[in-house]
Amino acid sequence: MLNKLYFVLLLTVPPWLVQVCKTNISWVRDRTFDDIIRVTGYSQLVTPGQNKSAIHCGLLCTSMSWCSSFFFLSATGGCILHQTVFAVPQGGQGTKGARYYRAFTAGCPKEYVFVRQERLCFKVSTSRTVFQYAYGNCSRADSQLVVLDTPGKHSAVANYVAEAYSNIFSYFIGGVRPGVVDGTRSQWSALTDPLTWLTGALVSINGPDTFWASENPSNSMGTEGCMELNSGTWNDLSCNHTRAFICERHVT
């Protein structure tokens, strides 16, 4: 009788819930957003007021691979699902009883930001330093300087740091010329020493997947072997300049 009942219960479980049970996504509440929602100008899905708790919103968000965060509206039982991970409540609107949750997963610690659709797990360090220290700091944390090789990754990181650290404009990212990582080179030719991501892929100079500032990469004086994210665009610069930096951790 027990086996038969168990079989009946399995048949009544909706397919999306079966898939949710196979994921390793969890949710952490960000209390700085209590009683605030962010909606305008961002990709979102609003559900009717039929959810009894944040758990229901979490299950729904988990079932959608693009969903990285959600607001639960306790007053109405509604959910607002977002692709975006918000950094600060500024720009939101007051909504009594609203609660905000972000996704995290195994391999991406809670102090990192996890963007599910991009499988991106990143952390910002606001300490200004030279490239070699930034590279080593990320490596010691089982990470690497962030590789912004897709429009989705670039947008997620650029938008987040612009919100979270509005007084910091420049960050080392994971694009270098030959010999930078091992410190064997300090001069380069723009023609024969192209920039590559730390994954080994070439950094595109033009096209839809590039975000270079005007007249860059310039390799001024043949000494610009590193890359930065500067006010949402890319720039090549001397590795001896000091910048904040962004690490990313691989998530399977």
Side-chain angles (χ1 to χ4, degrees), residues 18 148 187 248:
V18 173
L148 303 181
Q187 289 279 329
E248 71 167 322

Side-chain angles (χ1 to χ4, degrees), residues 176-178 185-195 205 217-225 236:
V176 295
R177 297 191 193 274
R185 298 277 300 274
S186 59
Q187 289 279 329
W188 298 273
S189 163
L191 294 177
T192 60
D193 301 313
L195 287 155
I205 301 302
S218 62
N219 192 26
S220 178
M221 306 296 290
T223 61
E224 297 187 333
D236 57 340

Side-chain angles (χ1 to χ4, degrees), residues 232-243:
T233 60
W234 300 346
N235 176 52
D236 57 340
L237 77 163
S238 167
C239 304
N240 291 324
H241 286 329
T242 60
R243 295 290 187 269

Side-chain angles (χ1 to χ4, degrees), residues 18-31:
V18 173
Q19 290 302 116
V20 166
C21 293
K22 295 179 181 179
T23 69
N24 60 357
I25 301 299
S26 300
W27 300 93
V28 60
R29 178 177 166 186
D30 187 339
R31 294 178 181 273

Side-chain angles (χ1 to χ4, degrees), residues 36-37 39 44-61 69-82 95-101:
I36 295 172
I37 60 172
V39 288
Q44 60 181 316
L45 173 65
V46 182
T47 71
Q50 58 190 15
N51 304 285
K52 297 179 181 179
S53 72
I55 294 174
H56 294 80
C57 295
L59 288 171
L60 184 58
C61 196
S69 69
F70 67 87
F71 291 92
F72 169 60
L73 311 180
S74 63
T76 64
C79 308
I80 305 176
L81 312 184
H82 280 284
T95 303
K96 187 68 174 177
R99 299 293 183 260
Y100 180 57
Y101 295 81

Side-chain angles (χ1 to χ4, degrees), residues 131 145-146 148 171-176 197 227-229 234 246:
F131 173 86
L145 285 167
V146 68
L148 303 181
Y171 304 83
F172 277 123
I173 58 176
V176 295
W197 295 114
M227 274 181 70
E228 67 176 343
L229 176 67
W234 300 346
I246 306 168

